Amino acid sequence: MNFSRRNFSKIIGVGALASFAGPLFSTTALGKPSRISSKKQIKRGLYLIKNAAVITVDPDIGTLPNADILIRNGIIERVGQNLTEKDADIIDATNMIVMPGFVNSHYHMWSAIGRSFTARKEGFSYYPAKFATSALYTPTDFYNSVMLASVELVNGGTTTVHNWSHNTRSPEHADAELQALENSHMRARYSYGHVDRLGPDKVNPYNDIDRVQSQWFGRNDKFEGMVHLGLNLRGTLQSDKATFYKEMEYAKRVGLPVAIHAPQETPNTADAVEYERRGYLGPDFLIAHYISASNDDLAAMARTKTPITIATHSELRLSSTGDARAVIMKMREAGLCISLSSDAISIAPPDMFEMMRFTWNLGVPWVGTENSGASKISVHEVIQMATLNGAIALGLGDMVGSISEGKRADIIMLRSNDLNIAPVSNFETAVVQSATANNVDTVIVDGKIVKRGGRLIGYDETRIINDAQNSARRIRAAAGELLES
């Protein structure tokens, strides 16, 4: 890449080159979090990416073997060949594959520090371990977890995440997650949720929503439009029907986008047909999993353009009563907008390259089954699931998800001459079959460079890891005999 240290310092701001000082997140004497912003300012630049192989994910443009991209004020201004711009900083993308940043549409980021927690009796790292520890997290633990998750995502080329908070224990916990998102440099939706294991007949009152909207969004937007607010509802998977319907009345009243979990195995406690009748379904109603969906459910979702997010690893591990692969194929045949996600880090990886590869390998119709006549899932499809479809699922399809003129510049660059990826014959196949996070050379979020030359910018990785380890050790100790060592 063709950057001088002078230009690099100008791009990211002098402060980002200096050592980090002060705590990332602290608590007052009363144990409540105090908002200490450690976000390092990174400036948007005028950039001209030259000589790139560009996977645009724009159906009108396709994949360009050799093209240039002009970025101004965070916007993709032009895509084409032989572009020039007098004052632009030139980014030499020779031997690079350039594509949109990934969009992870379903990630419980609060629990990232518990990635290897394992229940002693069950020997399983998700539900039993989550139930043993979810009440032990402090607001500071939430901050440390979301920061760890965010930086891991950015390092691997994810530029947008749906922080699906399904253990929002207090206003302080919510503030901790929002503070971490502010410091992450990522684009995000924050879906405010419930306290883990809230009784199925207990309505989540969402008493804190007005404060959150006032302090963090609207006229007091601390995110410069990079983060928007949503609601996580338990659906009929984790609450009874009457409770879910009451919570949906609230969601409709406040007009925030909704996300719910649906079953990964039988019985099918969700009912998309009924949700359509009630006016719940639509582009602002995101459903996760739904491996138990009937053909009628899928048809209702397709009619209403209701998106689905699939955490492929999680679907296979937790779907013990059916063929998750077959249902994913049925979702595709029904015409649903399918996006990829990581669910919880202890059950599915936040690595989009692995998610794409696994989904592609899984996407084969089986002879003698309901979808035996379907076509195989292509590498292009899984790239779209990991980028544009995720953006659409979060209501951001007009803003990001493809390299299109006029969209915000969320772009990643992969080295195509690394040992594990060279030689490249087909760019999309190389990304899905060979690429890993180690090939991510550069990450640009909203026109700001947050990773360059394989090095993260604006994050104190050592401190983030140490803080996460300290939180995990404290929670592990507090859980005692419930967890394995």
Side-chain angles (χ1 to χ4, degrees):
M1 304 212 15
N2 194 15
F3 279 113
S4 66
R5 180 174 175 81
R6 177 182 61 81
N7 285 339
F8 186 46
S9 301
K10 178 177 68 175
I11 291 164
I12 70 168
V14 174
L17 291 176
S19 62
F20 287 63
L24 293 177
F25 196 79
S26 69
T27 56
T28 66
L30 297 176
K32 295 183 177 181
S34 60
R35 295 188 65 253
I36 299 177
S37 176
S38 61
K39 181 178 181 179
K40 298 303 174 181
Q41 296 303 311
I42 301 176
K43 297 179 180 179
R44 294 182 183 89
L46 175 61
Y47 303 122
L48 181 57
I49 300 174
K50 296 285 292 182
N51 307 314
V54 184
I55 301 172
T56 70
V57 198
D58 183 324
D60 295 327
I61 302 176
T63 296
L64 307 174
N66 189 295
D68 307 334
I69 305 168
L70 179 63
I71 301 169
R72 189 193 307 269
N73 296 325
I75 296 174
I76 299 170
E77 188 171 287
R78 295 173 62 195
V79 180
Q81 292 184 318
N82 302 315
L83 300 185
T84 60
E85 181 63 34
K86 179 181 178 183
D87 297 320
D89 287 304
I90 304 299
I91 302 177
D92 182 8
T94 303
N95 293 321
M96 297 272 188
I97 298 172
V98 176
M99 63 181 294
F102 297 126
V103 181
N104 188 325
S105 55
H106 165 216
Y107 188 4
H108 306 302
M109 301 175 77
W110 68 268
S111 63
I113 58 176
R115 69 168 89 222
S116 60
F117 287 168
T118 303
R120 181 175 297 278
K121 289 185 178 180
E122 292 85 353
F124 183 48
S125 57
Y126 186 52
Y127 284 121
K130 178 168 80 82
F131 295 156
T133 59
S134 62
L136 302 176
Y137 284 71
T138 67
T140 298
D141 298 329
F142 266 39
Y143 178 88
N144 293 339
S145 191
V146 176
M147 279 304 301
L148 179 73
S150 297
V151 176
E152 182 182 9
L153 288 173
V154 169
N155 187 61
T158 296
T159 54
T160 301
V161 63
H162 181 190
N163 183 5
W164 189 314
S165 182
H166 66 345
N167 187 27
T168 314
R169 306 200 64 79
S170 71
E172 290 78 21
H173 285 78
D175 284 346
E177 292 200 83
L178 289 163
Q179 181 68 72
L181 291 176
E182 182 184 1
N183 293 345
S184 73
H185 301 292
M186 295 192 73
R187 196 179 305 280
R189 174 188 289 179
Y190 177 67
S191 283
Y192 198 110
H194 57 281
V195 175
D196 186 42
R197 310 199 81 177
L198 180 66
D201 61 339
K202 304 295 184 185
V203 176
N204 187 0
Y206 292 104
N207 290 332
D208 194 36
I209 292 295
D210 288 345
R211 180 196 68 83
V212 167
Q213 287 182 308
S214 174
Q215 286 187 214
W216 290 91
F217 299 93
R219 287 183 296 178
N220 298 316
D221 187 358
K222 301 182 186 305
F223 304 108
E224 299 179 346
M226 292 288 289
V227 179
H228 66 279
L229 184 62
L231 293 177
N232 161 38
L233 272 63
R234 290 168 291 164
T236 51
L237 180 64
Q238 298 168 304
S239 61
D240 59 37
K241 285 185 179 181
T243 300
F244 173 51
Y245 295 160
K246 288 179 182 178
E247 292 182 356
M248 274 302 304
E249 288 176 8
Y250 172 80
K252 286 292 188 180
R253 188 165 65 251
V254 297
L256 292 173
V258 168
I260 70 165
H261 290 92
Q264 291 174 284
E265 56 189 3
T266 58
N268 181 15
T269 58
D271 189 344
V273 174
E274 175 64 14
Y275 301 164
E276 180 186 25
R277 189 187 70 79
R278 288 176 171 267
Y280 297 168
L281 298 187
D284 60 350
F285 190 91
L286 176 61
I287 301 178
H289 310 307
Y290 214 1
I291 300 304
S292 65
S294 69
N295 290 339
D296 288 342
D297 290 323
L298 298 181
M301 293 175 64
R303 282 192 298 270
T304 55
K305 299 189 185 323
T306 299
I308 185 80
T309 177
I310 293 297
T312 314
H313 296 72
S314 176
E315 315 310 347
L316 266 71
R317 178 69 183 187
L318 299 181
S319 180
S320 62
T321 61
D323 181 1
R325 176 207 58 81
V327 178
I328 294 171
M329 296 293 287
K330 284 169 58 178
M331 291 174 175
R332 172 175 170 258
E333 293 303 305
L336 300 191
C337 177
I338 303 173
S339 59
L340 298 182
S341 58
S342 56
D343 197 358
I345 200 170
S346 58
I347 191 65
D351 183 338
M352 274 291 180
F353 295 104
E354 182 173 342
M355 278 187 262
M356 288 191 297
R357 189 151 43 245
F358 187 39
T359 305
W360 179 82
N361 277 279
L362 191 73
V364 180
W366 289 359
V367 174
T369 65
E370 187 177 354
N371 51 45
S372 61
S375 61
K376 299 176 182 178
I377 293 178
S378 69
V379 292
H380 176 78
E381 285 180 89
V382 292
I383 290 174
Q384 183 170 319
M385 291 176 186
T387 54
L388 183 58
N389 286 8
I392 292 170
L394 299 181
L396 301 173
D398 292 334
M399 182 180 295
V400 293
S402 65
I403 297 180
S404 308
E405 293 179 357
K407 285 193 174 184
R408 304 301 298 184
D410 289 6
I411 293 172
I412 63 175
M413 301 173 58
L414 316 176
R415 292 184 300 274
S416 62
N417 59 347
D418 285 354
L419 184 63
N420 67 300
I421 198 170
V424 174
S425 298
N426 179 283
F427 301 113
E428 292 185 326
T429 300
V431 168
V432 174
Q433 289 286 61
S434 303
T436 71
N438 290 332
N439 303 121
V440 178
D441 180 272
T442 300
V443 178
I444 302 173
V445 184
D446 206 53
K448 300 178 180 180
I449 295 177
V450 294
K451 184 178 183 181
R452 183 191 76 89
R455 183 170 72 87
L456 290 164
I457 298 167
Y459 310 97
D460 187 339
E461 295 174 66
T462 300
R463 172 168 284 173
I464 289 168
I465 293 170
N466 287 341
D467 287 345
Q469 288 175 330
N470 289 336
S471 284
R473 279 195 289 265
R474 186 197 61 75
I475 294 168
R476 169 67 188 81
E481 293 300 313
L482 294 175
L483 296 183
E484 289 184 359
S485 299

